[in-house]
């Protein structure tokens, strides 16, 4: 290898080494130092609320058991299935003990050596195991026909009626809770996705904050409505500090913010005007701001008519100033519309004013240039020609 070839090889190795160390430095900052500077969120990206209640009185906790239906629905699946299995097994075993007690009191068990003409309260109960099996058959209405209640004692008939009624109540409650848990619209909200970042750029000659949202299902959300809340800490003129003070943020599409035709990805935007809390922010000061933008989308599921809500949040590091979203909807040669989800959260850098105030000042300056203004202090005075100026 000649000298020029070796020099090119050294240069290539040096460039690759520099790029590798640059990538490792970014990865280290993002995965280690970035987590330490991560802001606290009230609402996570997937819509879960990061809040806990402390010092709740015992009397207030008892209210959860008063509203037992909502409490059971809000339980996680592992706790719900534990309650489901424990309730049925517990009721079967409890009534099995009662049937065993009836057989024991009536002396129907083999250890009492009943006579041949003895008629038991329940046929073929020989111990605790057979009593448990009879309880199971009675409550779930299996009816094998081997064990049955006789008309010998009224206690067994009353217990049979009581277990049948209680079994229907338990079946209705537990099966209804499982069905309601499966059909909750909360799962439908998982198929509504917001963009990873929000962007700020010009739209229609106005500075706007834009967010992209998509419905991953072909079924629509009826009566969709989208809005936002800006959460930040404020201090009142009286000196009171309000944590998580809420400010309304109006989001719209070109057709408004209600009854959205949610068949394709939508780009919603908030106009940054004099009434917007983002009006006095700039591209340089945005990362130093302390706020959380929570976006809500309410709608009715078309297939179940149940109302669902989708929410996400954005912190200042997730708001990109001077970017817009890449297009993701195209039309094929066959006349179909194609959505490319590869560009869903992809952004493109565009020329954008570094603050909303600068944009409005620029517009005012252009408007004044187009209009003429009279100066009331301007006076026109006539100047007489002197002899020196005459030819």
């Amino acid at each position: 290898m000649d000298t020029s070839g070796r020099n090119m090889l050294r240069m290539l190795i040096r460039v690759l080494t520099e790029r590798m160390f640059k990538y490792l430095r970014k990865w280290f900052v993002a995965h280690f130092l970035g987590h330490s500077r991560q802001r606290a969120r009230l609402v996570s990206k997937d819509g879960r609320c990061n809040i806990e209640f402390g010092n709740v009185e015992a009397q207030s906790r008892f209210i959860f058991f008063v509203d037992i239906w909502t409490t059971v629905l809000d339980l996680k699946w592992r706790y719900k299935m534990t309650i489901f299995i424990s309730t049925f097994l517990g009721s079967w075993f409890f009534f099995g003990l009662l049937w065993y007690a009836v057989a024991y009191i009536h002396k129907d068990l083999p250890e009492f050596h009943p006579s041949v003409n003895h008629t038991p309260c329940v046929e073929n109960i020989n111990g605790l195991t057979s009593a448990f099996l009879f309880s199971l058959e009675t409550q779930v209405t299996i009816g094998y026909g081997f064990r049955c209640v006789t008309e010998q004692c009224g206690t067994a008939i009353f217990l049979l009626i009581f277990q049948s009624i209680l079994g229907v109540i338990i079946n209705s409650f537990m099966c209804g809770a499982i069905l309601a848990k499966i059909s909750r619209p909360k799962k439908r909200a998982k198929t509504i996705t917001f963009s990873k970042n929000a962007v700020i750029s010009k739209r229609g000659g106005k500075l706007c904050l834009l967010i992209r949202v998509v419905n991953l299902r072909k079924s629509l959300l009826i009566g969709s409505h989208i809005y936002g809340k800006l959460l930040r800490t404020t201090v009142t003129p009286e000196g009171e500090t309000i944590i998580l003070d809420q400010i309304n943020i109006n989001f719209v599409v070109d057709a408004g913010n209600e009854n959205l035709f949610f068949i394709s990805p939508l780009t919603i935007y908030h106009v940054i005007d004099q009434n917007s809390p983002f009006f006095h922010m700039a591209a340089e000061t945005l990362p130093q701001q302390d706020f959380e933008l929570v976006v809500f989308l309410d709608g009715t599921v078309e297939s179940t008519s149940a109302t669902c809500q989708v929410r996400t949040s954005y912190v200042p590091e997730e708001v990109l100033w001077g970017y817009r979203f890449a297009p993701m909807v195209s039309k094929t040669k066959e006349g179909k519309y194609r959505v490319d989800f590869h560009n869903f959260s992809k952004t493109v850098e565009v020329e954008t004013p570094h603050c909303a105030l600068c944009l409005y000042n620029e517009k005012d300056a252009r408007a004044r240039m187009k209009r003429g203004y009279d100066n009331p202090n301007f006076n026109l005075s006539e100047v007489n020609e002197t002899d020196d100026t005459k030819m």
Side-chain angles (χ1 to χ4, degrees), residues 46-48 185-193 214 216-217 309-310:
D46 58 356
R48 291 177 296 177
K186 186 177 181 180
K187 300 303 179 183
R188 176 64 174 91
K190 300 296 183 181
T191 56
I192 307 295
T193 305
V214 64
L216 299 178
R217 290 186 179 272
Q309 182 183 86
V310 193

Side-chain angles (χ1 to χ4, degrees), residues 76-95:
K76 295 182 178 180
W77 274 109
R78 54 180 177 268
Y79 302 127
K80 185 183 292 292
M81 295 307 299
T82 301
I83 294 176
F84 182 86
I85 296 172
S86 301
T87 301
F88 281 103
L89 289 178
S91 63
W92 296 338
F93 185 74
F94 173 73
F95 281 102

Side-chain angles (χ1 to χ4, degrees), residues 103-298:
Y104 185 86
I105 295 173
H106 199 254
K107 299 185 184 302
D108 297 335
L109 300 177
E111 55 263 28
F112 294 106
H113 305 287
S115 61
V116 179
N117 298 327
H118 178 77
T119 303
C121 291
V122 182
E123 296 282 354
N124 299 312
I125 286 187
N126 302 318
L128 186 59
T129 303
S130 57
F132 174 79
L133 293 176
F134 179 73
S135 174
L136 172 62
E137 297 170 12
T138 301
Q139 188 164 328
V140 300
T141 64
I142 295 178
Y144 290 123
F146 182 69
R147 301 178 183 90
C148 62
V149 177
T150 64
E151 68 278 3
Q152 183 64 27
C153 52
T155 305
I157 298 175
F158 174 79
L159 184 59
L160 177 65
I161 297 173
F162 181 72
Q163 183 178 5
S164 300
I165 295 175
L166 186 61
V168 171
I169 295 175
I170 294 175
N171 289 338
S172 302
F173 183 86
M174 298 309 300
C175 294
I178 295 295
L179 181 60
K181 182 76 171 180
I182 295 175
S183 60
R184 291 184 75 179
K186 186 177 181 180
K187 300 303 179 183
R188 176 64 174 91
K190 300 296 183 181
T191 56
I192 307 295
T193 305
F194 287 92
S195 57
K196 181 180 179 181
N197 297 99
V199 297
I200 295 179
S201 60
K202 292 176 63 176
R203 187 183 182 94
K206 301 178 181 178
L207 192 64
C208 300
L209 184 143
L210 301 98
I211 297 172
R212 179 171 278 177
V213 59
V214 64
N215 179 18
L216 299 178
R217 290 186 179 272
K218 293 184 178 180
S219 58
L220 299 178
L221 283 180
I222 303 173
S224 300
H225 174 67
I226 194 162
Y227 57 97
K229 298 286 185 181
L230 186 70
L231 309 179
R232 63 183 181 183
T233 302
T234 59
V235 180
T236 63
E238 295 77 16
E240 180 186 3
T241 302
I242 302 177
I243 301 177
L244 299 179
D245 187 22
Q246 301 184 14
I247 302 174
N248 291 327
I249 302 294
N250 295 322
F251 282 97
V252 296
V253 293
D254 294 333
N257 64 344
E258 294 184 357
N259 299 323
L260 306 178
F261 185 49
F262 209 2
I263 193 63
S264 62
L266 296 178
T267 300
I268 60 175
Y269 60 90
H270 163 71
V271 179
I272 304 178
D273 53 12
Q274 289 84 352
N275 299 323
S276 172
F278 298 96
F279 183 74
H280 297 286
M281 299 182 188
E284 297 81 6
T285 61
L286 180 63
Q288 287 76 37
Q289 298 294 326
D290 185 14
F291 67 84
E292 181 178 355
L293 176 62
V294 185
V295 185
F296 303 87
L297 174 62
D298 299 337

